């Protein structure tokens, strides 16, 4: 039977985890494969080499800032702290235990209790393993589209097919669903992968400079044109140009883009000759371009030039099986931003995430997870931290959340007024810490 991996870090400076001191812990280590290091630098090297579910940290509690930063960085491990009794009299030590440790012991250590603690920490670490993790094996290693559901699997298959062609691609998808990631995946798997990928937000190009920005200009073409300049299209030569929200492109520029698609050449502003540009065109839109054609807002001939290979990016509401995989992925991605105590999602938060319709798609999920990681006040993210309710589709629940929010806001405002704006006194009156009160003030949008 394989032994469980345990990382032991001695930052006390007195060698308690080495030599004779290490032997004192012998019975506690039964069933463990122990890696013992001195100092945080050595611990960081060990963690880069191996994955440890549980760590033991013995400290005399010097260098709090460095220790807090280290534990914050390695938040996904279960830490057991061992401290001298005097250290727990310090508020900083108590805060570190509360924010980072699964449990703690004081010297001298009760070996039987320590052994039980380590077993419990290991059990808790195994519970943290994501049930959706095996789905990641279905992902292309070089494709940024996360998920293992049927909808995203179908999209990946289509991407691999169209990537091998050179014809223009038109991607449709709701805002925030991942259209640019899809375009990047097509580029990465194409024969032009070594060339540049140039994204152009068609709705953000300044109207007066649009022609010059897209097609470039010659020196002296207009006031301020002191040198020749390549446009965005020309800068993508040998690679891929991605027109995001192509439906927002003004009609005059649609005409010039159509000419480029037909002739594979461009005219810089002020130029008397054309310039050949070899690239692939991918366009995307969240609006129905066929309807835009019927309404006279988009050229029909350009639509058919672009719509050679069509891809639909599924909205997040059609990817329910991927929701928690994505949520946990973003939790790990932005782990450095989280409040120290926050370790993951509660069951109620998981239910709320799965019940929500996600009109803002993946972008909305990212924003809600990042906000919850900062605002959560417990070890697990709750639905209210995400701005969701368990029965998210119920109007009554949404209304109730609003009532609670207003009641909380009024109560905190009244307490602050009674305390004359003194945060410490208001926190004592409310029975919370100053940090908790600061978070409540921010969450409730209170000016003070």
């Amino acid at each position: 039977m394989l032994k469980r991996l345990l990382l032991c870090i001695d930052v006390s400076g007195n060698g308690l985890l080495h030599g004779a001191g290490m032997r004192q812990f012998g019975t506690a280590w039964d069933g463990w494969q122990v890696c013992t290091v001195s100092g945080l630098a050595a611990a960081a090297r060990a963690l880069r080499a191996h994955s440890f579910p549980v760590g033991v940290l013995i400290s005399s509690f010097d260098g709090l800032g460095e220790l807090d930063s280290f534990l914050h960085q390695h938040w996904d491990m279960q830490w057991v702290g061992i401290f001298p009794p005097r250290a727990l009299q310090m508020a900083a030590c108590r805060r570190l235990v509360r924010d980072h440790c699964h449990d703690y012991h004081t010297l001298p250590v009760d070996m039987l209790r320590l052994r039980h603690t380590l077993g419990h920490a290991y059990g808790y670490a195994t519970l943290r393993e994501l049930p959706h993790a095996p789905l990641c094996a279905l992902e292309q290693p070089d494709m940024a589209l996360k998920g293992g559901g049927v909808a995203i699997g179908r999209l990946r298959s289509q991407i691999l097919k169209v990537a091998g062609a050179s014809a223009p691609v038109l991607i449709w998808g709701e805002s925030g669903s991942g259209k640019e990631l899809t375009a990047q995946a097509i580029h990465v798997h194409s024969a032009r992968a070594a060339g540049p990928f140039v994204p152009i937000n068609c709705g953000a190009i300044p109207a007066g400079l649009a022609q010059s920005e897209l097609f470039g200009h010659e020196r002296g073409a207009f006031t301020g044109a002191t040198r020749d300049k390549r446009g965005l299209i020309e800068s993508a030569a040998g690679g891929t140009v991605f027109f995001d929200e192509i439906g927002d492109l003004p009609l005059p520029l649609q005409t010039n883009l159509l000419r480029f698609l037909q002739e594979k050449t461009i005219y810089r502003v002020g130029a008397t000759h054309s310039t050949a540009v070899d690239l692939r065109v991918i366009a995307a839109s969240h609006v129905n371009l066929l309807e835009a054609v019927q309404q006279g807002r988009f050229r029909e001939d350009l639509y058919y030039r672009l719509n050679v290979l069509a891809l639909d990016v599924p909205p997040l509401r059609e990817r329910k099986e991927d929701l928690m995989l994505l949520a946990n992925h973003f939790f790990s991605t932005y782990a450095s931003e989280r409040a120290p105590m926050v370790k993951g999602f509660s069951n109620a938060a998981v239910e709320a995430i799965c019940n929500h319709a996600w009109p803002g798609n993946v972008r909305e999920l990212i924003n809600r997870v990042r906000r919850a990681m900062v605002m959560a006040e417990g070890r697990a993210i709750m639905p209210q931290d995400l701005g969701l309710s368990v029965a998210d589709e119920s109007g009554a629940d949404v209304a109730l959340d609003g009532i609670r929010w207003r009641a909380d806001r009024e109560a905190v405002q009244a307490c602050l007024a009674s305390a004359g704006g003194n945060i410490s006194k208001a926190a004592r009156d409310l029975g919370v810490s100053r940090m908790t009160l600061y978070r409540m003030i921010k969450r409730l949008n209170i000016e003070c």
Side-chain angles (χ1 to χ4, degrees):
M1 178 179 177
L2 292 175
K3 292 187 175 182
R4 298 165 292 182
L5 289 174
L6 177 68
L7 177 65
C8 297
I9 310 172
D10 187 354
V11 290
S12 66
N14 55 19
L16 280 179
L17 290 179
H18 294 80
M22 183 67 174
R23 288 193 292 273
Q24 296 176 14
F25 292 88
T27 57
W29 300 157
D30 288 347
W32 292 89
Q33 182 176 322
V34 183
C35 173
T36 306
V37 296
S38 295
L40 298 181
R45 289 193 295 271
L47 286 167
R48 285 194 292 270
H50 299 284
S51 176
F52 296 89
V54 180
V56 169
L57 177 74
I58 183 165
S59 172
S60 59
F61 221 70
D62 297 323
L64 167 64
E66 186 180 1
L67 188 57
D68 181 78
S69 176
F70 175 85
L71 294 176
H72 192 95
Q73 182 179 358
H74 300 286
W75 61 274
D76 52 341
M77 289 178 61
Q78 299 301 313
W79 292 101
V80 176
I82 299 177
F83 309 104
R86 62 177 177 81
L88 291 171
Q89 298 174 10
M90 303 167 57
C93 181
R94 295 195 298 271
R95 184 169 60 250
L96 183 134
V97 170
R98 180 199 67 191
D99 289 349
H100 300 293
C101 292
H102 173 82
D103 203 346
Y104 72 94
H105 292 256
T106 56
L107 296 170
V109 175
D110 181 330
M111 298 305 165
L112 180 60
R113 179 172 172 264
L114 177 60
R115 184 176 179 181
H116 290 165
T117 298
L118 293 176
H120 186 265
Y122 182 79
Y124 198 84
T126 59
L127 290 177
R128 285 190 52 83
E129 294 179 3
L130 303 179
H132 299 282
L135 296 177
C136 295
L138 301 175
E139 298 177 9
Q140 293 288 333
D142 52 356
M143 199 177 288
L145 295 164
K146 299 293 179 184
V150 174
I152 202 69
R154 185 185 305 115
L155 177 62
R156 285 201 199 93
S157 177
Q158 292 171 345
I159 286 172
L160 294 176
K161 289 178 181 177
V162 303
S166 59
V169 180
L170 182 59
I171 302 170
W172 184 88
E174 297 178 6
S175 294
S177 58
K179 296 187 292 296
E180 184 167 347
L181 284 179
T182 301
Q184 289 173 345
I186 294 171
H187 171 72
V188 166
H189 288 84
S190 73
R192 299 176 179 272
F197 176 86
V198 180
I200 301 173
N201 186 337
C202 296
I205 303 175
L209 300 174
Q211 189 79 15
S212 173
E213 286 294 308
L214 285 181
F215 300 99
H217 62 251
E218 297 284 296
R219 179 182 177 185
F222 51 82
T223 302
T226 58
R227 58 183 178 84
D228 292 350
K229 178 188 174 183
R230 292 198 309 168
L232 291 170
I233 292 177
E234 194 175 349
S235 69
T240 302
V241 64
F242 172 56
F243 292 99
D244 194 13
E245 300 305 343
I246 188 74
D248 294 335
L249 197 66
L251 282 169
L253 288 179
Q254 292 180 27
T255 302
N256 290 343
L257 180 58
L258 176 64
R259 183 184 304 117
F260 165 70
L261 289 171
Q262 291 172 336
E263 302 173 4
K264 301 298 182 183
T265 60
I266 61 169
Y267 279 88
R268 291 181 179 178
V269 176
T272 57
H273 63 278
S274 63
T275 301
V277 182
D278 176 33
L279 53 74
R280 185 180 197 177
V281 173
I282 301 177
S285 177
H286 76 282
V287 301
N288 188 319
L289 290 183
L290 204 51
E291 290 183 3
V293 168
Q294 294 168 354
Q295 296 166 4
R297 294 185 291 108
F298 200 80
R299 290 184 61 112
E300 183 177 17
D301 44 6
L302 177 58
Y303 170 75
Y304 286 111
R305 277 283 179 180
L306 292 172
N307 193 29
V308 179
L309 299 171
L311 290 181
D312 285 355
V313 179
L316 198 52
R317 63 179 174 275
E318 295 179 6
R319 301 175 55 194
K320 294 289 187 179
E321 62 269 52
D322 291 335
L323 280 171
M324 287 315 301
L325 184 148
L326 290 169
N328 282 295
H329 169 72
F330 298 134
F331 186 93
S332 297
T333 301
Y334 300 102
S336 61
E337 301 178 2
R338 74 186 222 291
M341 289 178 63
V342 181
K343 305 300 181 184
F345 297 91
S346 67
N347 289 336
V350 172
E351 183 180 352
I353 288 171
C354 293
N355 287 338
H356 187 53
W358 299 106
N361 292 293
V362 178
R363 189 179 296 123
E364 180 189 357
L365 178 61
I366 293 173
N367 292 344
R368 287 188 183 273
V369 169
R370 292 182 71 180
R371 178 175 62 191
M373 291 167 66
V374 174
M375 301 304 293
E377 297 178 5
R379 296 179 72 87
I381 290 173
M382 301 301 292
Q384 57 267 31
D385 302 320
L386 294 158
L388 303 174
S389 64
V390 175
D392 187 73
E393 305 305 321
S394 166
D397 282 349
V398 173
L400 185 57
D401 277 352
I403 294 170
R404 288 171 180 160
W405 184 87
R406 287 191 294 272
D408 289 346
R409 191 171 191 270
E410 291 170 2
V412 172
Q413 284 178 319
C415 194
L416 285 169
S418 175
N422 186 307
I423 297 293
S424 297
K425 184 177 185 305
R428 285 195 301 272
D429 292 343
L430 286 168
V432 299
S433 68
R434 281 169 53 90
M435 185 58 68
T436 297
L437 180 54
Y438 277 123
R439 289 176 181 165
M440 292 172 68
I441 289 170
K442 184 176 180 179
R443 175 170 61 85
L444 298 170
N445 195 26
I446 296 173
E447 295 182 5
C448 60

